[in-house]
Amino acid sequence: MTTQQREISLARGLKGVYLDTTESSDVQGDIGKLIYRGYNIHDLAEQSTFEETIYLLLYGKLPTRAQLNQFGATLHQSGKVPGPVIDIIRSVQKSHPMDVLRTAVSALSAFDPETEDNSPEATLRKGIRLTAQTPTIVCAHDRIRHGLKPVEPNPSLNFAANFLYMLKGEAPSEADTKLMDTDFILHADHGSNASAFGARVAASTLADLHCAVVAGVATLKGPWHGGAAEKVMEMALEIGEESKALSYIEDRLKKGDRVMGFGHRVYTAEDPRARHLRDRAKALGDRMGQPKWWRILSAVEERMRPYARRGICVNVDFWSGSIYYLLGIPEDLFISIFAIGRVPGWAVQVLEQQKNNILIRPLLKYVGPMDVPYVPIDQRS
Amino acid sequence: MTTQQREISLARGLKGVYLDTTESSDVQGDIGKLIYRGYNIHDLAEQSTFEETIYLLLYGKLPTRAQLNQFGATLHQSGKVPGPVIDIIRSVQKSHPMDVLRTAVSALSAFDPETEDNSPEATLRKGIRLTAQTPTIVCAHDRIRHGLKPVEPNPSLNFAANFLYMLKGEAPSEADTKLMDTDFILHADHGSNASAFGARVAASTLADLHCAVVAGVATLKGPWHGGAAEKVMEMALEIGEESKALSYIEDRLKKGDRVMGFGHRVYTAEDPRARHLRDRAKALGDRMGQPKWWRILSAVEERMRPYARRGICVNVDFWSGSIYYLLGIPEDLFISIFAIGRVPGWAVQVLEQQKNNILIRPLLKYVGPMDVPYVPIDQRS
């Protein structure tokens, strides 16, 4: 019996398909709960730091102070990007920051001493290096394309502060640092999202971590994944003022257009990451004397509330864009910030895939023509 | 009810899971039949050319002579790689050719006029450009790392001959050209193999074709996917002479080691691509006065024959490595040759994914700790 004759049911989008087990993050979409290694995302967002969270994801437990100090030092030492990769960034500087990040991460494989070592120890070390190098790449590119010199990492700053420092050339306020730190924590891992899944697919052929992370970056670029925060902020800018929010959304819904920042494949309850950014976006807007963006987005959220009953709730991307915007970060960098936060999640999932590996290779049902006779070229019409 | 409480069955490796429909290729693993757009791979391997096959995959039908001439000219015009990308290749020349290819394809996005245009027309044009640029990158890198100048494409040669010409700096014989051409035809598409699937995952977020092809290259690098041909030739070299083949394999089987070039997730019958390469590898070995590799591999194949009853049959990678070796191609380029042949398959599957898109995002079953209380850092042990 050939594939053609069998009844075949399709798992389009792999909706509801459980690929494998994980010990890293648990997305409980029905009750809006997110867990990293057993810890509730709310506890981590409120009490942890990104360094701690990376450590937690990679090593499976929260560090002691000595372990954290050591780990922070390792992260700092690993953040440097070799000169030839900076030159490569320079030569592709005109393209989208995610294309530049993808090319630079790919090029790093030429300078990493352990690129093709697939042992868990080397993969972990490479995961730490790539986590540390990603913000350096993103910031160097943004400086270069604006005609500025890249800023060297500052070892006296934490990860989030150092990111803002390398981006802007001056040390950020404590409040801005905390905001960025929380944002990175919220983005660090999220089950089998498309980019982590793409990284797992690459790792499943026994391709190395650089391959997997490049696949992750490539997959994250799409507007249905990393690109959503940018689209939400574009919408807020288009709306322009609070009083126009309602009619804008009515208009969009009437046309059947998607309202960005709502709905999620897994969450049918509110995305638990959203609330942390909602409150912080409000405080930031007030602090900057620009409360209008939060008000516009709140009006949009209010208008969309009836859809929550159908499982279309606000997601993490809805608030993050306005925060980046108020922090003065260019819109086309929003996906790159997501990527910086997500590298640890990609690394830990690659480690999990490697530990109990099986080639990830689904099937496709062929629905094209069959048994077409080959006709020599001069007899074709 | 949370995910923890439900009975969840895992689809590890997505074995047997049908992702979606396709009109491009049909891998009928149970009867060892492979079809591109309705045409049997045997007809294409024996009567078609790689240019024709690319056209068939991308446009859904075989070209007339006028269409083929036009298409061949377009391919030739598209093969040039911009100078800055050649410089990038130079700066990462020491890394694995697949890493270089991944970085260079990624960098091409900075110079393609339609990188972020996701329309089917632009995606098709980019697919043709990437198909044409891939051999230029592979050959330029190999020349550069050997201290030689890259060879400009020669528009009077067909795709396969031009590849060998750019690699070696001299026009190949007709027999070598035909061999390379057939090899490319056999590698052009193959259902939802891991790299094409990785490309689909990227495309499913609405990321552009460069993202998808970079994900494809990244995924192909693994020894369980594109890396197998290299491993088979390593084995043949290790065996060294026909008389030692049997004991080598006995030894390997006794140790429970995998014999490379046998078995395939989808084929339980013989891979229909293998026979074309088997016959051609023999003829090539005889022609080159080096019949020994074919004899060694034949002895291995013979020893493995009992496993065919269990569905572990010879696959396409088993013979291709010896052909590349006899053509004087460095072993670490074998995966790149696979990539050159596969770009059209990645492009056509991305076009299919875009046409009826749905985000590809499976789930993971969380099996880690739950409800762990957050302990302040100084109280941890």
Side-chain angles (χ1 to χ4, degrees):
Chain A
M1 196 165 65
T2 71
T3 38
Q4 294 312 298
Q5 299 162 307
R6 264 183 271 136
E7 269 293 327
I8 288 169
S9 67
L10 300 181
R12 292 195 73 236
L14 299 178
K15 218 167 166 169
V17 172
Y18 280 85
L19 174 76
D20 215 321
T21 60
T22 182
E23 297 181 39
S24 178
S25 61
D26 188 21
V27 187
Q28 297 177 20
D30 42 0
I31 56 169
K33 188 171 173 181
L34 173 61
I35 276 172
Y36 292 169
R37 299 275 190 197
Y39 292 91
N40 195 302
I41 193 67
H42 300 313
D43 291 339
L44 296 171
E46 280 153 21
Q47 301 181 65
S48 184
T49 63
F50 188 46
E51 282 88 338
E52 255 201 12
T53 301
I54 302 169
Y55 189 99
L56 173 67
L57 287 170
L58 292 178
Y59 296 96
K61 62 187 201 64
L62 286 174
T64 62
R65 190 169 293 280
Q67 287 168 333
L68 185 64
N69 289 343
Q70 168 78 54
F71 184 64
T74 306
L75 269 178
H76 266 303
Q77 285 152 18
S78 312
K80 221 169 149 57
V81 168
V85 177
I86 299 290
D87 290 339
I88 288 173
I89 292 171
R90 217 177 287 282
S91 83
V92 297
Q93 61 177 284
K94 294 240 164 89
S95 48
H96 189 282
M98 282 298 283
D99 291 348
V100 176
L101 178 61
R102 195 186 60 219
T103 302
V105 169
S106 181
L108 279 176
S109 66
F111 305 94
D112 194 291
E114 301 181 296
T115 297
E116 293 192 335
D117 185 342
N118 266 357
S119 69
E121 298 75 23
T123 302
L124 185 71
R125 285 191 293 268
K126 287 185 284 183
I128 294 169
R129 282 198 284 278
L130 285 171
T131 298
Q133 289 164 323
T134 302
T136 315
I137 292 167
V138 171
C139 296
H141 172 230
D142 193 59
R143 304 279 300 176
I144 288 167
R145 67 177 177 161
H146 289 109
L148 300 166
K149 248 181 81 122
V151 175
E152 292 288 313
N154 179 342
S156 74
L157 299 173
N158 73 14
F159 190 98
N162 188 45
F163 163 65
L164 290 170
Y165 168 72
M166 289 192 296
L167 190 64
K168 308 205 172 186
E170 54 189 49
S173 71
E174 212 174 304
D176 288 0
T177 298
K178 188 67 206 110
L179 198 52
M180 206 61 246
D181 189 64
T182 307
D183 184 82
F184 286 145
I185 292 171
L186 296 172
H187 282 89
D189 196 26
H190 206 246
S192 190
N193 58 87
S195 57
F197 179 52
R200 273 185 184 259
V201 172
S204 83
T205 72
L206 301 187
D208 53 63
L209 186 71
H210 283 84
C211 291
V213 171
V214 169
V217 173
T219 305
L220 186 65
K221 190 189 172 193
W224 283 7
H225 191 3
E230 186 178 337
K231 299 284 171 200
V232 173
M233 194 59 215
E234 274 171 18
M235 176 179 74
L237 288 162
E238 248 178 78
I239 293 174
E241 47 185 282
E242 193 186 342
S243 64
K244 292 186 181 155
L246 205 68
S247 63
Y248 179 94
I249 298 299
E250 296 294 352
D251 202 49
R252 231 178 145 108
L253 293 172
K254 222 175 284 166
K255 283 195 230 144
D257 288 349
R258 191 186 268 235
V259 180
M260 299 304 281
F262 289 87
H264 190 278
R265 170 70 67 81
V266 186
Y267 290 118
T268 48
E270 186 181 290
D271 183 335
R273 301 168 297 179
R275 76 163 83 153
H276 298 282
L277 297 182
R278 180 196 290 114
D279 297 349
R280 286 171 175 78
K282 180 165 185 355
L284 179 65
D286 291 346
R287 182 152 58 82
M288 308 285 281
Q290 290 194 56
K292 117 173 154 173
W293 306 112
W294 189 85
R295 288 185 190 149
I296 289 171
L297 291 175
S298 283
V300 172
E301 191 186 19
E302 197 48 44
R303 174 62 191 84
M304 293 295 288
R305 205 167 298 277
Y307 290 89
R309 279 196 304 269
R310 291 196 238 154
I312 301 171
C313 300
V314 77
N315 63 38
V316 70
D317 305 311
F318 189 71
W319 294 106
S320 56
S322 64
I323 290 177
Y324 307 150
Y325 179 81
L326 287 167
L327 288 176
I329 298 173
E331 280 160 63
D332 65 355
L333 282 192
F334 292 4
I335 317 176
S336 310
I337 297 178
F338 189 156
I340 294 171
R342 185 56 55 90
V343 177
W346 292 332
V348 73
Q349 292 204 35
V350 167
L351 281 160
E352 285 193 338
Q353 184 66 34
Q354 289 175 340
K355 201 173 166 185
N356 184 20
N357 192 39
I358 177 171
L359 182 73
I360 302 178
R361 199 247 191 253
L363 299 165
L364 291 168
K365 181 187 173 183
Y366 182 73
V367 294
M370 292 293 283
D371 299 324
V372 182
Y374 185 90
V375 175
I377 190 159
D378 291 319
Q379 294 165 35
R380 293 174 201 156
S381 55
Chain B
M1 197 164 63
T2 70
T3 37
Q4 294 313 298
Q5 299 162 309
R6 262 182 274 136
E7 269 292 327
I8 287 169
S9 67
L10 300 180
R12 292 195 73 235
L14 300 177
K15 217 166 167 169
V17 172
Y18 280 85
L19 175 77
D20 216 321
T21 60
T22 182
E23 297 181 40
S24 179
S25 61
D26 189 20
V27 187
Q28 297 178 20
D30 43 359
I31 57 170
K33 189 171 172 182
L34 172 61
I35 276 170
Y36 292 170
R37 299 272 190 200
Y39 293 90
N40 195 303
I41 194 66
H42 299 313
D43 291 339
L44 296 171
E46 279 153 20
Q47 302 181 63
S48 184
T49 64
F50 188 47
E51 282 88 336
E52 254 201 15
T53 300
I54 304 170
Y55 188 99
L56 172 66
L57 286 171
L58 292 178
Y59 296 97
K61 60 188 201 65
L62 286 174
T64 63
R65 191 169 294 281
Q67 287 167 333
L68 184 63
N69 288 344
Q70 168 78 55
F71 184 66
T74 305
L75 269 179
H76 267 302
Q77 286 152 18
S78 311
K80 221 171 148 57
V81 168
V85 178
I86 299 291
D87 291 339
I88 288 173
I89 293 171
R90 215 176 288 278
S91 81
V92 296
Q93 61 178 283
K94 294 238 165 92
S95 47
H96 189 283
M98 283 299 282
D99 291 348
V100 175
L101 178 61
R102 194 187 59 218
T103 302
V105 169
S106 183
L108 279 175
S109 67
F111 305 95
D112 195 291
E114 300 181 297
T115 297
E116 294 194 334
D117 186 342
N118 266 357
S119 68
E121 300 75 22
T123 302
L124 185 71
R125 284 190 295 267
K126 287 184 284 184
I128 294 168
R129 281 197 285 278
L130 285 171
T131 299
Q133 288 163 325
T134 301
T136 314
I137 292 167
V138 172
C139 297
H141 172 229
D142 193 59
R143 304 280 298 176
I144 287 168
R145 67 177 175 159
H146 288 109
L148 300 166
K149 249 182 81 124
V151 175
E152 292 288 311
N154 180 341
S156 75
L157 300 174
N158 73 13
F159 190 98
N162 188 45
F163 164 65
L164 291 170
Y165 169 72
M166 289 192 296
L167 190 65
K168 309 207 174 186
E170 53 190 48
S173 72
E174 211 173 304
D176 288 357
T177 298
K178 189 67 207 108
L179 197 53
M180 206 61 246
D181 188 65
T182 307
D183 184 82
F184 286 144
I185 292 172
L186 297 173
H187 282 90
D189 196 25
H190 204 250
S192 189
N193 57 88
S195 58
F197 179 52
R200 273 186 184 258
V201 172
S204 83
T205 72
L206 302 186
D208 52 64
L209 186 71
H210 283 84
C211 290
V213 171
V214 169
V217 173
T219 305
L220 186 64
K221 190 190 172 193
W224 282 8
H225 191 4
E230 188 179 336
K231 299 283 172 201
V232 173
M233 194 57 215
E234 273 170 19
M235 174 178 73
L237 288 162
E238 247 177 80
I239 294 174
E241 48 187 281
E242 193 186 343
S243 65
K244 293 188 180 153
L246 205 66
S247 62
Y248 179 94
I249 298 299
E250 296 295 351
D251 202 49
R252 231 178 146 110
L253 292 172
K254 222 175 285 166
K255 283 196 230 143
D257 288 350
R258 192 185 265 233
V259 180
M260 299 304 281
F262 289 87
H264 191 279
R265 170 70 67 82
V266 187
Y267 290 118
T268 48
E270 187 182 289
D271 183 335
R273 301 167 296 180
R275 75 163 82 154
H276 298 282
L277 297 181
R278 180 196 290 114
D279 297 350
R280 286 170 174 81
K282 179 167 188 352
L284 178 64
D286 291 346
R287 182 152 57 82
M288 307 285 280
Q290 291 194 53
K292 116 172 154 172
W293 306 111
W294 189 86
R295 286 185 192 151
I296 289 171
L297 291 174
S298 283
V300 171
E301 191 186 19
E302 197 47 44
R303 175 60 190 84
M304 293 296 287
R305 205 168 298 279
Y307 290 88
R309 278 195 306 268
R310 291 197 238 157
I312 300 171
C313 300
V314 78
N315 63 38
V316 69
D317 305 310
F318 188 72
W319 294 106
S320 56
S322 64
I323 290 177
Y324 307 150
Y325 178 82
L326 287 167
L327 288 176
I329 298 173
E331 279 159 61
D332 66 355
L333 281 192
F334 291 4
I335 317 177
S336 310
I337 297 177
F338 189 157
I340 295 171
R342 185 57 55 88
V343 178
W346 292 332
V348 73
Q349 291 204 35
V350 167
L351 282 160
E352 286 192 339
Q353 184 67 34
Q354 288 175 339
K355 201 172 166 185
N356 184 20
N357 193 38
I358 177 169
L359 181 73
I360 301 178
R361 200 248 189 252
L363 298 165
L364 290 169
K365 181 186 171 186
Y366 182 72
V367 294
M370 292 293 282
D371 299 323
V372 182
Y374 185 89
V375 174
I377 189 159
D378 291 318
Q379 295 164 33
R380 293 175 201 154
S381 55

